[in-house]
Amino acid sequence: MMKHTIRFMVAAVLLCNVAFAQSVEEGRKFFYYEKYNSAKETLEKALAAKPDDVEAAYWLGQTLIELNDIAGAKKVYQTALQTKGSEPLLLVGMGHVELLEHKGNDARQRFETAISLTKGKDVDILNAVGHANADAPDGDAKYAIEKLKQATEVRRFKEPFVYINMGDAYRKLLDGGAAVTAYQNALTLNDKLAEAEYKIGKIYVTQGQEQANIFLKHYEQAIALDPAYAPAYYDLYTYWYSRDVNKARDYFAKYKANTDFTPSVEAEEISLVYASGDFKGAIAKADEKLQKDGEKASPKLYRVKAYAYDKLGDSVNALQNMELFFSKGDSTLFLPDNYVKMAQISAKFPDKLDQADSYFNKAIAMDTLLKNKVDYAKAASDMYKKIQNRVKSADWLTKILSIDTGYGKTELFYAGWENFYGEKYQTADSVFNLYKQKYPDDMQGYYGGFRTKWMADTSGAASGILSEAPIEDANKFIEIAGLDSLKNKSALILAYGYLAGYNANTLKDYEKAIFYLDKMISLDPTNVDAKNNRDILQKALDRPQPRADSTKKSGAAAKPSRK
């Protein structure tokens, strides 16, 4: 009887261990599929059943990090370290937290200690160090790659997630080619690893919408490898959200079926009502959910309401709900487009106009795609131009030149002329100088420079701009534009007119002035003013000049003859 009892107890312990191992593995599986609430619940149960389990503690901490509960993750690791001492995996977890707390030196010390304790031969430890540094904003991507490569050299290496983390580290360094290679290596070790295929797609997203066919293909391939991989469904849903609401709805349904149904997911479902064009319906459903869930409701609901109110032309409620969204939400919810929308709504209120710039700047700082950054700056310029603030419009078009140093003629042209119309002549002149330097054979830089200096001189705002420079720019413009005088007729007439006036009034060189007036008349024979001015100057030239010796009687200074 006693032996039977002992055998039963041993069997019970073995079964318990199997169940526990399964629960930790289940938690890790939930983590992989980004079902973080399920992972948290499962791992908390596992840790409660076995408080000294290192793996359960590590993965619970990682899950809390993904849920943006850094304090909770820190508490888990601190408690586990008190129980287990300097356990390498827990040291790495705490180092991850310290990176998120901007304590880089402390984190590095934890990582090195963990690696040292395992003699640099534990793939899991090296992988965890790589993940922490690839994931945390303050992490060292180069250090991550170094340790992950070290992991691949460990005997009998076969861990695909080392390459996943390596790819993430290369992405952090903006080395897309190396990242793709790393993800492909992960697929070599596990050809069903949807995450690797999905993340290859994410590389092409950073290259702009021109690569849509490629990254959408990789997302679809990820789903083909693993139909339960929710992140790919979500990205497909967000891509089609503003393009084809029916496709977006289909992908969202599949996403919903494969993820935790949280208040955040429910808010996304309500946002599809907005995307379908039912703005009043979206507001009603969001209000119903906010009333039902109270403080537990997703802040995304305020964003849905704000966008809907904006579509309905209710700027007051749009602003109020965007302010609630930003105050109640956290950075994980904010998208560049949200900042742009907030800037545009704010600009409708005179007392809120000053904050519009800060929101546009946040959108630019947040987005990693250069084209998008430029588009946000253009949107800012367009917004200010629409409300007749040409100075601010010019500032944003000028900023594009620093955002994208590979600017071309179009960017220089619009920045130069917007500064011109905003009466920022010094900046306009600088921009047109850049145009001339980069495109010396193009007439636009010289024409802009000539007009800017002329207007600055006329308005008395020519401080720092050489007064003789309009002549140089005007002449160079005429030289190039004259190759097609019919196409450039109006601009040439303006330049000839300026030079005629400058020579007649400033230099008193009537012959040169008549030369330019003749040029004007040849392009526009009906120009009465040009003809009248030419006649006046010709009469002045034809008028007999006083004799030099006659001036001695009156004591007047002799005038030089033009004959």
Side-chain angles (χ1 to χ4, degrees), residues 8-23 49-50:
F8 178 80
M9 291 176 63
V10 169
V13 170
L14 288 172
L15 287 172
C16 182
N17 285 338
V18 169
F20 174 78
Q22 286 177 337
S23 66
K50 192 175 180 183

Side-chain angles (χ1 to χ4, degrees), residues 427-466:
T427 305
D429 186 60
S430 296
V431 173
F432 286 125
N433 279 336
L434 289 174
Y435 199 116
K436 289 182 287 186
Q437 291 167 17
K438 195 165 186 178
Y439 305 102
D441 297 325
D442 191 302
M443 66 182 185
Q444 293 296 342
Y446 302 103
Y447 183 65
F450 143 61
R451 289 288 307 278
T452 298
K453 295 178 178 71
W454 183 14
M455 186 59 72
D457 185 54
T458 304
S459 65
S463 175
I465 301 178
L466 297 175

